[in-house]
Amino acid sequence: MAITSSVAQTPIARKISTNAVIRTVLAQGPISRADIAKFTGLSKQTISDVVRDLETDGWLKPVGKTDGRPGRTAITYELNASAGLAISIDLGGTKIAAAIGDLLGNIIAETKVPTDARGGIHLVDQFQAVVNDLTEMAGVEMAKVRMVVLGTPGVLDPATGHIHVAPNIAGIEDIDLRQLLTDRLGIPAIIENDVNLAAEGERWKGHGVDVGNFAFIALGTGTGMGIIANGSLLRGGRGAAGEISYLPIGGDPFDPGGFHLGTFESAVGSVAMARRYVGFGGQEGASVADLFVAFEKGDHSAVAAVEETARLTALAIAAVGATLDPQLVIMGGSIGARPELVAAIRRYLPRCTPYPTRIEISRFGNRAALIGGMGIAVAHMHEELFGVDLGEASTNQTCIRGGTHSL
């Protein structure tokens, strides 16, 4: 029997109905209104009203008709993914990568520019320019962009959004980046540690989809780790969980000079790798890219540099395994995702721990944080547009029960 009480007519009840319809369309679409009613248990009248409103507002679109069934054909609907857009930005020490995507997380335009070395407020100028470029590339209006997610190095205070300990990005610790970005773009901004975003990207569409406990380790200009523990991102008491740059590995941890970059990062970051290669007899002034070119040619200095970096990284992974017991470690970053390095790490790991963790290379390479940012944006857009605040639902004492309902 249909619910007709005044409680059932409240706005929160309609939001619950809308949420149910959108979730069903996402999971089953393209789908007819009659089939939505079957999956949700809502009345056909409620489904007709909700679908009509969603179509009028541009969130659903008709895509065809049912066939192969007795009786009349019916219009089928799917989410109009282009009705809401989001920007994902990955801020690095040397480059800024950015993408614009739709309500399903499909990336429709992408760009990359060098990071402004002046840092600080100049980065906000860069972000605005990048967003303008992306909307132009995608051929969309800024009015359709509903939020931006920014991944940045450093320790993020989850309460204030303030960034600490980001030595590779000048001036970023001195500004309220979240507020400045929100004000400049006129849309909500979410700031997150870049390696945390990379871990979220792997959980969304990568190796971590069916893994409840894993770590994402990034090696590149800097080092970092994102941790998914029991299905959730682990932040720690100060938001600094995963700051493996400061592991006492690869140098003297009591040397205060290592307090800036961290002892481990000082030993395995891109600058350290290039320095190690030159020290072993490699070409003076060589970059990490030069090192790997030389490695492919069998250059002994390059091989030695990669092997030593792999040995130190294996020690760090052994420490992570002993403390977190992850099912999986995913390697990413411009250095960490190199197959040559990962192959060497896999050789060293069983030599320093009796329980070597499985290691995989990120499915997204340098784009892992970008993908993670898009996943976070999609989740927030769906919540903002179609979600239900459970606290509000509880206050209104409204819920969907079995049977058919008229909300």
Side-chain angles (χ1 to χ4, degrees), residues 77-128:
Y77 296 88
E78 70 178 16
L79 187 70
N80 181 13
S82 64
L85 305 172
I87 304 286
S88 176
I89 302 175
D90 179 19
L91 170 62
T94 59
K95 64 172 177 58
I96 294 173
I100 185 170
D102 62 21
L103 277 172
L104 294 177
N106 300 311
I107 291 178
I108 53 181
E110 197 167 340
T111 189
K112 187 182 295 184
V113 298
T115 303
D116 192 323
R118 295 173 296 176
I121 192 65
H122 301 287
L123 293 175
V124 180
D125 297 334
Q126 265 201 301
F127 298 148
Q128 183 174 28

Side-chain angles (χ1 to χ4, degrees), residues 24 28 30-41 47 66 69 76:
T24 303
Q28 307 293 336
I31 187 171
S32 69
R33 286 176 291 184
D35 284 339
I36 295 173
K38 291 178 183 177
F39 277 104
T40 61
I47 296 300
T66 57
R69 301 183 188 181
T76 57

